[in-house]
Amino acid sequence: MAYSVPASSQSGYRGRFAPSPSGPLHNGSLIAAMASFLDARAHHGRWLLRIEDIDMPRVVPGADLAIMHQLRSMGMLWDEKPVWQSQRLPLYQAAFDQLTASGDTYGCACTRQELPSDGPYPGICRHGLPAGRQARAWRFRASQGVECFDDRWQGPQQQDVVKHAGDFIIKRADGLWAYQLVVVVDDGAQGITHIVRGADLLDSTARQRMLARHLGLDYPTVMHVPLLLDPEGRKLSKQNHAAAMDITRPLDTLNQAWQALGFEALVAQDVEAFWAAALERWANRYSQPQQTLGT
Ligand code: GLU
């Protein structure tokens, strides 16, 4: 039994949930799924599912289908055919070619061992490869200046890409497209207007805004929701072996995510009633008239 409000054709809102299929969803990933789902519904928009399987070595076979099953069991139905990044490689190549044609990329020979363990890329290959070296990865030539934007959850942000990341990788040494590039290309190609995702991606936002600008794409409005931490204060993640979310008790699982978003637990008889109540509360808090898309 799934709760789904007809997506109004009047609303220009297009949101998405973009899980990496490196395992099933856990309670932490459910928070991002829930917030993006509610926000799309509250704006009478569309909610898309994008399987981010670009990082092939980390993909677990069958995890995509498991994630879809989990979402369905929670009553979260997406509005359009899901897309898989692994099937969109020509799109990423085209974006890379466009950036390269405008001089925004360069080949980099540096190995991880040659670089400082943190801080921005020191620009070793920015003006050409050192003699006798070959390009392994490709970087985006970051532009100077502070990226200023409002995050609907975290408030006003100022991020300096040159200072924090420097020229960042868009094509990896193993030949795979980097997350920063593909996420921007996909959000643009899918006409995403609103990104709602976990706060661990807040500091990627400036890089993504910059890339979008260079590709001539509008960058969506962003909301970065809190992360669930384990007892040691680490982000719950598949790498830290977080347990898959419990779909046998959907109401408890949903209420747990809902409370992590700062709301009081809902008393609901079934999943449908849970979503109806949650939607009303979410809409009151996050879809005030000034935040809806004007037409
Ligand atoms: N695939 C990313 C993740 O699972 C999310 C990307 C995004 O929402 O921009 O962490």
Side-chain angles (χ1 to χ4, degrees):
M1 201 174 26
Y3 180 71
S4 117
V5 176
S8 156
S9 55
Q10 297 301 309
S11 164
Y13 184 115
R14 288 173 69 80
R16 53 36 165 215
F17 177 52
S20 307
S22 51
L25 300 179
H26 50 74
N27 288 346
S29 27
L30 177 60
I31 296 177
M34 174 180 275
S36 63
F37 177 69
L38 283 171
D39 204 50
R41 292 286 177 259
H43 288 86
H44 305 286
R46 291 191 157 260
W47 188 62
L48 277 59
L49 176 63
R50 183 168 74 227
I51 304 293
E52 298 212 323
D53 59 348
I54 197 69
D55 190 354
M56 290 156 201
R58 288 185 50 217
V59 169
V60 171
D64 50 356
L65 299 183
I67 289 171
M68 288 156 113
H69 177 65
Q70 289 175 305
L71 292 173
R72 278 199 214 94
S73 315
M74 294 291 134
M76 302 167 81
L77 293 191
W78 47 96
D79 297 313
E80 295 180 9
K81 246 174 102 169
V83 299
W84 276 257
Q85 288 185 325
S86 57
Q87 294 170 9
R88 295 159 74 80
L89 303 183
L91 213 60
Y92 311 137
Q93 181 70 52
F96 177 81
D97 291 345
Q98 184 182 333
L99 293 172
T100 301
S102 46
D104 291 328
T105 70
Y106 63 87
C108 176
C110 299
T111 61
R112 202 175 293 233
Q113 294 75 8
E114 288 169 325
L115 295 175
S117 54
D118 58 5
Y121 175 65
I124 298 162
C125 300
R126 188 169 229 254
H127 304 291
L129 292 168
R133 299 290 300 270
Q134 290 209 326
R136 305 172 73 245
W138 288 79
R139 290 182 184 271
F140 176 76
R141 217 177 271 283
S143 26
Q144 297 283 345
V146 176
E147 293 282 327
C148 301
F149 58 94
D150 274 321
D151 185 280
R152 289 170 59 215
W153 193 290
Q154 312 282 342
Q157 304 293 314
Q158 299 192 344
Q159 297 179 1
D160 187 330
V161 174
V162 169
K163 208 155 128 203
H164 294 290
D167 298 338
F168 52 94
I169 289 190
I170 53 173
K171 188 174 190 184
R172 303 172 4 173
D174 58 9
L176 295 176
W177 300 112
Y179 159 70
Q180 304 292 354
L181 178 71
V182 298
V183 74
V184 169
V185 172
D186 281 333
D187 284 337
Q190 296 189 285
I192 300 300
T193 58
H194 291 68
I195 292 175
V196 178
R197 62 185 175 191
D200 52 328
L201 294 169
L202 179 60
D203 69 7
S204 290
T205 305
R207 276 171 277 173
Q208 295 173 13
R209 285 171 57 91
M210 195 178 270
L211 272 178
R213 209 165 44 244
H214 283 257
L215 287 166
L217 300 169
D218 287 335
Y219 193 75
T221 303
V222 290
M223 178 189 247
H224 288 87
V225 297
L227 298 178
L228 213 53
L229 303 178
D230 68 12
E232 283 89 56
R234 297 174 307 180
K235 177 198 164 195
L236 270 201
S237 73
K238 293 159 201 160
Q239 288 94 317
N240 295 340
H241 311 294
M245 69 190 201
D246 184 357
I247 58 168
T248 62
R249 296 160 21 145
L251 281 176
D252 290 344
T253 303
L254 288 170
N255 252 321
Q256 207 178 349
W258 177 243
Q259 287 175 279
L261 285 166
F263 291 90
E264 287 196 6
L266 293 170
V267 181
Q269 277 190 330
D270 54 24
V271 165
E272 193 172 355
F274 173 89
W275 285 118
L279 179 61
E280 194 187 322
R281 285 164 181 74
W282 185 275
N284 280 340
R285 200 178 284 185
Y286 295 115
S287 66
Q288 299 312 314
Q290 71 272 18
Q291 288 176 340
T292 52
L293 285 182
T295 43

